[in-house]
Amino acid sequence: MRDETLTRTLQRYESAPHLVFWETTKACGLACRHCRASAQTTALPGELTTAEGRDLLDQIAAMEGPRAIVVFTGGDCFERADLDELVGYAVALGLRVGVAPSVTPKVTRESLQRLYDLGVRALSISLDGASSESHDSLRGVADHFRATLDALEMMRDMGFRLQVNTTVMDHNKRELADILALVRAAGVSIWEVFFLVSVGRGSFIREVSASEAEEICHFLVDAADRGLTVRTVEAPFFRRVQAERSAAEGVDVATYFGLGELYRHLHEGLERVPHTERPRSSTSLATGDGRGVIFVGYDGEVHASGFLPVALGNVRERSLGEIYTSHEILTALRAGELEGECGRCEYRRLCGGSRARAYARTGRVFADDPACVRTRPRVALTAD
């Protein structure tokens, strides 16, 4: 991303987010071992009512600048009986809408058709393994892998634009090329790779090390040549890797960047994924926790992201626009007031590190992101 484009983007994020994630409920029929939300089978008390949900959408529509993309998520947003009403209201306000359901029996052709008729065109679901053994062991439901692939096929055939979310962790790091092959075969247009942050039930799952995260990011740069947009969540250093790769065209990547066996293994796996001459998609939105991204919890509490459990205010008491533009933590994040290596890094404006991971590991929002190899000490994120 060129400096002038980056500057314009960051200026835009001062007044309004690009993405608003609304955790519509904590209820979910799955029992995912890495669940950020620690979702459960029934809704928690204090969930925003239908009227309060409509008010939240009004608040989002009233924010300055281009209309934000509102992502209805959870838990499982399909657990809300008023989902269609709320989605329809958001569309009527002129908001861009994405829906991120869990793959459960509630995902049917009929339920999806209702969303399509309301104007929804973007759906995202999760795929966290390349086999039933791997995926189902994380999701806690037998045959969920097959159900996920079937859901992707149905959604594609209905005309939805699809995004697959994959959480990368020690458990599945070597499967990423095979997951990409499945994603590509399903006709998915966006692959969003979440780098695990130890929050919620994910606190008991092993993250990848900083060096492994670096090698995975190099693999993801390669993966963007396979005809789909590749993005990361809680790994903004991916944009730094992109920039470094762009400046080193024509080199042997593994040798030039000193990459190890994990990168070589994943890169070799790309041979099973059809190549395309389509130019790489631009993935450098320069968003980060509280910078172009904001998260509203099931109870109206606002957070810089769903992985950063620091409450910033409640939309029942203050408007989302006021919280986003004026809260001191958010303004400091957007100003790049970071500690340590993250604060000194020349990629600070483009990257900024994962604030959620910094907080999870140190208790400080502005600390170094320990998943980046540039921070010191170079802390491995796997357990001893």
Side-chain angles (χ1 to χ4, degrees), residues 25-211:
T25 182
K26 288 283 192 181
C28 183
L30 304 182
C32 303
R33 291 174 54 210
H34 58 299
C35 181
R36 164 208 61 78
S38 296
Q40 54 187 49
T41 55
T42 58
L44 288 177
E47 190 174 278
L48 292 180
T49 65
T50 303
E52 290 171 329
R54 289 165 69 100
D55 182 63
L56 169 61
L57 295 169
D58 285 333
Q59 293 176 30
I60 297 169
M63 298 178 79
E64 295 183 12
R67 292 289 172 87
I69 299 171
V70 182
V71 180
F72 289 77
T73 183
D76 179 13
C77 56
F78 271 34
E79 290 286 341
R80 282 198 65 131
D82 58 358
L83 177 64
D84 292 349
E85 177 182 348
L86 292 167
V87 167
Y89 189 72
V91 172
L93 289 172
L95 297 170
R96 295 178 289 169
V97 172
V99 179
S102 300
V103 176
T104 73
K106 291 182 181 290
V107 174
T108 64
R109 185 172 293 273
E110 291 72 25
S111 63
L112 295 175
Q113 187 64 53
R114 290 196 300 271
L115 291 179
Y116 194 91
D117 292 343
L118 289 168
V120 175
R121 294 295 179 269
L123 297 176
S124 65
I125 61 175
S126 296
L127 179 65
D128 293 313
S131 67
S132 293
E133 180 182 8
S134 176
H135 177 88
D136 293 356
S137 67
L138 284 168
R139 291 287 159 186
V141 175
D143 299 322
H144 194 263
F145 175 74
R146 174 46 54 191
T148 299
L149 296 183
D150 290 345
L152 283 172
E153 181 180 2
M154 177 172 61
M155 293 169 176
R156 179 198 64 204
D157 292 347
M158 292 179 69
F160 286 102
R161 184 171 66 256
L162 299 179
Q163 173 178 309
V164 161
N165 303 325
T166 298
T167 300
V168 61
M169 60 199 90
D170 185 68
H171 172 89
N172 64 357
K173 64 191 178 189
R174 298 183 67 82
E175 299 178 47
L176 291 175
D178 294 322
I179 294 172
L180 172 61
L182 292 170
V183 168
R184 185 79 171 79
V188 172
S189 58
I190 301 173
W191 189 28
E192 192 147 285
V193 181
F194 291 62
F195 282 56
L196 182 71
V197 176
S198 294
V199 295
R201 288 199 290 267
S203 300
F204 304 99
I205 304 293
R206 290 166 63 96
E207 300 180 22
V208 297
S209 69
S211 60

